[in-house]
Amino acid sequence: MINMFKKESQEVLKMLDDLGVSIKNLQYEGKMFLGKNTKAIEKVVTFLRGKMFEHIQLDEKVVFPYIQKHIPKLEPMLCFLRAERNEFKLNLENFEYLFKQLKSEKNGLRQQKIIDQLKEKGVYLICLIRNHIQIEIESVYKPIESQLHQDEKKALVRQCLQFKVNPFRRKKS
């Protein structure tokens, strides 16, 4: 289970690195490379939005209910992770809003102000997601590995794989 999540998290971490580089380049490379950098940022934001939706759905429909049933002492951590996800979603939406403003802005001075705001929001977003991944690994996926029996882990993995094949399937409790 943890290996499945680690692969996904490595992909997200690489995209976060790309976002950090693109934001920095946006700030320092100027108008000449504006198009290249905005395309790179757009690619990362689209990826994060899709991956976030997919991951949250898997957790909410399969992983978290399974953990609540089999490792109930993790309930407070699951509540924290849900709240943190709301923070992530809100900050991603704010970042996207600023990014759309940048793409439509023609005035160089206003563009620079938006870029400064994008940098601030982007750095916060990157830190928030990195922290979330670390907490999820330490507080959810490691306990799954250490506290569930082998047959419980297999059942959870099977449910996760079934959900990934058909993410809109309703899980019967």
Side-chain angles (χ1 to χ4, degrees):
M1 183 73 200
I2 198 167
N3 290 335
M4 188 167 71
F5 181 71
K6 276 189 176 182
K7 182 182 178 205
E8 179 183 274
S9 65
Q10 290 303 319
E11 189 178 19
V12 171
L13 292 172
K14 192 229 178 284
M15 293 302 271
L16 292 174
D17 289 343
D18 292 350
L19 179 61
V21 168
S22 296
I23 291 170
K24 186 175 78 173
N25 289 346
L26 190 63
Q27 186 175 23
Y28 295 115
E29 289 183 347
K31 272 189 167 182
M32 193 165 139
F33 295 100
L34 184 66
K36 176 190 94 165
N37 291 319
T38 55
K39 283 180 184 169
I41 291 171
E42 198 160 24
K43 176 184 171 188
V44 173
V45 168
T46 300
F47 170 84
L48 288 175
R49 181 163 288 289
K51 188 58 74 173
M52 175 188 78
F53 177 77
E54 179 184 298
H55 181 80
I56 289 172
Q57 288 298 312
L58 177 64
D59 278 351
E60 292 300 323
K61 302 287 184 188
V62 179
V63 178
F64 287 7
Y66 196 88
I67 290 172
Q68 286 170 312
K69 182 178 178 183
H70 295 277
I71 314 173
K73 68 182 177 185
L74 292 180
E75 176 75 28
M77 182 52 63
L78 300 179
C79 291
F80 172 77
L81 290 170
R82 285 181 178 116
E84 195 174 56
R85 286 179 177 163
N86 291 335
E87 175 79 6
F88 163 67
K89 183 180 178 209
L90 179 64
N91 278 279
L92 182 60
E93 288 169 357
N94 289 338
F95 185 86
E96 286 177 303
Y97 175 76
L98 284 170
F99 186 66
K100 286 177 186 173
Q101 281 186 320
L102 176 67
K103 287 172 50 176
S104 65
E105 183 59 59
K106 303 299 178 209
N107 180 297
L109 188 58
R110 282 186 279 212
Q111 278 182 335
Q112 193 55 51
K113 286 181 181 180
I114 295 170
I115 289 170
D116 291 343
Q117 290 175 322
L118 272 174
K119 181 183 175 196
E120 183 180 314
K121 291 280 185 201
V123 168
Y124 180 70
L125 189 61
I126 291 167
C127 291
L128 186 65
I129 297 170
R130 284 182 179 282
N131 184 61
H132 182 83
I133 289 170
Q134 185 65 33
I135 290 172
E136 212 169 40
I137 288 171
E138 295 297 322
S139 303
V140 175
Y141 291 97
K142 281 188 178 179
I144 286 173
E145 291 297 320
S146 66
Q147 296 179 29
L148 292 180
H149 297 290
Q150 195 63 33
D151 58 328
E152 292 172 321
K153 289 184 227 178
K154 285 180 183 177
L156 179 57
V157 169
R158 190 171 35 256
Q159 287 179 24
C160 288
L161 293 174
Q162 286 173 344
F163 185 83
K164 284 188 175 224
V165 170
N166 187 3
F168 299 105
R169 176 177 80 71
R170 289 265 183 225
K171 181 182 174 287
K172 293 177 183 151
S173 300

